[in-house]
Amino acid sequence: MKVDVLLGLQWGDEGKGKVVDVLTPNYDVITRFQGGPNAGHTLEFNGEKYVLRSIPSGIFQGGKVNVIGNGVVLDPLLFQQEAEALAASGHDLTKQLCISKKAHLILPTHRILDAAYEAAKGSGKIGTTGKGIGPTYTDKISRNGLRVGDLLHNFDEKYAAAKARHEAILRSLNYEYDITELEAQWFKALDYLKQFRLIDSEHVINNYLKEGKSVLAEGAQGTMLDIDFGSYPFVTSSNTICAGCCTGLGVSPRNIGEVYGIFKAYCTRVGSGPFPTELFDETGSKIRQIGHEYGAVTGRERRCGWIDLVALKYAIMINGVTKLIMMKSDVLDGFETVKACIAYKVNGEETTEFPFEINEGIEPVYVEMPGWNVDMTKMQSEDEFPEEFNAYISFLEEELEVPIKIVSVGPDREQTIVRYTEE
């Protein structure tokens, strides 16, 4: 067996949580391989809404194994809050969820450092969620991090050393803080964390594959936020692309199977950073309002714009996407015309290649198509799709050279239309 990977192809918020939930019946094991509690995967079913931050979206399917991989950074306190809320709604995770010993821990002082660094940047702020993600990955790369497995090996000593190091940095930044209460809650959360299975996830995952178990790896954030290939420096601190699955779970490239790429029928972005197709007019506001484009974790307004095929082709190439999944098609139901960016004009010259830097000097080149002006939220098969929407799909498939397998026409798991049957 191979690991199938599901990724966001834009700037995050593409709807990965819902799609994982739709796909999980086909898999034995569901994993997360990077990111932290800055991810907010929203799932809606049976009239209930759930937001998952660190826990894989497969926990709603009974009997599935869920694994938080080594590439994830984990805040025990936020994890406890999330897990307890799920348990209160009838989803007990203790038997289903395993956590890699090699996953790095977000410490209380990481959160303070995040705020201090962002404050020091002034007008050059990245727009982080303030959850301590960046400082935790920084410690990981500088070989100063604490991992889940350290809970079993001289933890107090290691924690004290890490805290002292962080406090020295905070003093140098003249940043005032008080973590007394946060730290007390955090240590209580460590005890809660210990009741879960702490595993050597690389062995466990590869053994599952040997046993013929099917594994789905769930990405967080989006390709255009990748630390190497995103719109640097306005990116996240991990590899959000398909290659991140190999390092974040310990599986070899030859064990990657299908790569599902998720994108919205338009584009959104949260926080700072370039966004070539951003709309500042009534159309952008209309997309935000209809699409409820507000951060699942932060509640921040998302910036909205037309679909960007230059960035999307780039993401498909880097990830080796084999099947596409288009989300939120219904948000564009009421538009007379829809647009798609097919090229960038940079210094007067057109290009279809994603450049080293995208900045204010980039002008998107659009193709305009007729909208479908039909409510698609009740549709149950592609036979019901209006002609104009079919034309939009055909245009995208021709441009992107990858089939669109699934189309979402609403937030509920039932509002999901599979277009191609398996061969």
Side-chain angles (χ1 to χ4, degrees):
M1 295 296 288
K2 294 186 184 290
V3 176
D4 290 347
V5 186
L6 186 136
L7 301 151
L9 298 181
Q10 295 161 316
W11 278 283
D13 311 310
E14 298 91 352
K16 294 176 288 297
K18 173 191 167 177
V19 176
V20 175
D21 185 56
V22 167
L23 293 177
T24 40
N26 305 319
Y27 294 90
D28 302 306
V29 184
I30 296 89
T31 68
R32 273 278 306 273
F33 62 85
Q34 48 74 224
N38 54 344
H41 293 178
T42 304
L43 298 89
E44 292 185 35
F45 52 89
N46 300 331
E48 298 289 329
K49 179 186 276 193
Y50 302 89
V51 178
L52 301 178
R53 293 170 171 82
S54 299
I55 295 167
S57 302
I59 52 99
F60 297 109
Q61 301 284 345
K64 307 289 182 183
V65 176
N66 289 261
V67 179
I68 294 177
N70 60 275
V72 173
V73 292
L74 191 67
D75 183 325
L77 181 54
L78 295 179
F79 170 79
Q80 179 181 2
Q81 292 168 358
E82 184 179 351
E84 286 182 338
L86 288 166
S89 65
H91 301 91
D92 181 16
L93 314 183
T94 49
K95 293 183 178 66
Q96 286 180 269
L97 184 65
C98 307
I99 302 170
S100 174
K101 291 179 187 174
K102 290 186 171 70
H104 279 247
L105 291 168
I106 301 173
L107 311 186
T109 41
H110 281 136
R111 282 214 229 176
I112 308 300
L113 281 168
D114 206 350
Y117 289 146
E118 192 76 340
K121 285 190 171 88
S123 61
K125 288 180 180 179
I126 301 295
T128 77
T129 56
K131 298 287 194 301
I133 313 293
T136 307
Y137 276 114
T138 298
D139 273 1
K140 175 179 179 174
I141 297 304
S142 64
R143 302 176 295 282
N144 288 309
L146 264 68
R147 299 180 293 175
V148 170
D150 287 321
L151 291 171
L152 313 174
H153 303 280
N154 303 322
F155 182 75
D156 289 344
E157 183 184 325
K158 293 174 181 176
Y159 176 81
K163 179 183 176 184
R165 192 172 59 254
H166 294 163
E167 288 179 328
I169 297 169
L170 289 164
R171 281 195 297 274
S172 73
L173 293 169
N174 294 318
Y175 192 79
E176 293 185 12
Y177 63 96
D178 181 3
I179 62 163
T180 311
E181 180 62 26
L182 176 62
E183 190 175 46
Q185 292 175 345
W186 190 86
F187 268 96
K188 282 183 186 173
L190 287 183
D191 292 330
Y192 180 83
L193 187 67
K194 289 175 187 174
Q195 70 179 304
F196 291 86
R197 281 180 58 206
L198 309 183
I199 61 170
D200 294 308
S201 54
E202 62 277 27
H203 292 298
V204 170
I205 296 289
N206 282 288
N207 285 335
Y208 278 137
L209 294 175
K210 281 182 185 176
E211 292 167 12
K213 303 275 192 197
S214 53
V215 180
L216 180 66
E218 172 187 7
Q221 287 91 38
T223 296
M224 303 314 297
L225 295 174
D226 182 87
I227 186 68
D228 283 292
F229 296 102
S231 51
Y232 192 88
F234 300 96
V235 291
T236 194
S237 304
S238 60
N239 284 115
T240 59
I241 60 172
C242 187
C245 176
C246 296
T247 55
L249 287 180
V251 296
S252 76
R254 70 180 180 183
N255 283 334
I256 300 294
E258 298 284 2
V259 181
Y260 294 97
I262 308 180
F263 68 100
K264 285 177 181 170
Y266 51 96
C267 264
T268 63
R269 178 162 197 166
V270 171
S272 307
F275 182 1
T277 63
E278 183 172 7
L279 296 169
F280 300 94
D281 57 8
E282 192 180 319
T283 301
S285 300
K286 186 177 175 183
I287 291 173
R288 183 182 304 111
Q289 184 182 357
I290 297 170
H292 306 291
E293 293 297 352
Y294 303 92
V297 172
T298 62
R300 283 188 292 186
E301 270 194 4
R302 294 184 187 134
R303 300 151 64 191
C304 298
W306 295 117
I307 196 166
D308 184 340
L309 300 186
V310 178
L312 206 46
K313 285 180 184 176
Y314 179 72
I316 288 168
M317 172 185 74
I318 286 168
N319 289 304
V321 173
T322 58
K323 290 175 181 172
L324 288 167
I325 299 171
M326 181 161 71
M327 308 299 291
K328 292 201 163 185
S329 310
D330 53 296
V331 174
L332 300 184
D333 282 355
F335 288 83
E336 292 290 335
T337 59
V338 294
K339 294 183 181 181
C341 168
I342 56 166
Y344 294 158
K345 194 172 278 187
V346 186
N347 298 324
E349 291 188 19
E350 275 191 26
T351 180
T352 56
E353 290 193 356
F354 195 77
F356 169 73
E357 197 167 59
I358 51 174
N359 50 41
E360 293 174 0
I362 284 180
E363 181 186 337
V365 178
Y366 288 111
V367 162
E368 194 170 298
M369 289 159 280
W372 36 98
N373 252 333
V374 175
D375 180 1
M376 297 203 301
T377 56
K378 304 286 192 298
M379 293 182 182
Q380 296 182 325
S381 80
E382 64 176 319
D383 298 333
E384 300 175 67
F385 288 165
E387 183 182 328
E388 294 83 359
F389 183 65
N390 279 326
Y392 184 61
I393 290 177
S394 296
F395 167 77
L396 292 177
E397 287 185 320
E398 192 172 322
E399 286 285 319
L400 302 173
E401 299 179 325
V402 180
I404 297 173
K405 179 181 173 59
I406 295 174
V407 173
S408 174
V409 293
D412 196 277
R413 67 156 66 132
E414 300 299 323
Q415 295 172 297
T416 311
I417 296 170
V418 180
R419 295 187 61 235
Y420 293 91
T421 55
E422 296 294 341
E423 296 174 6

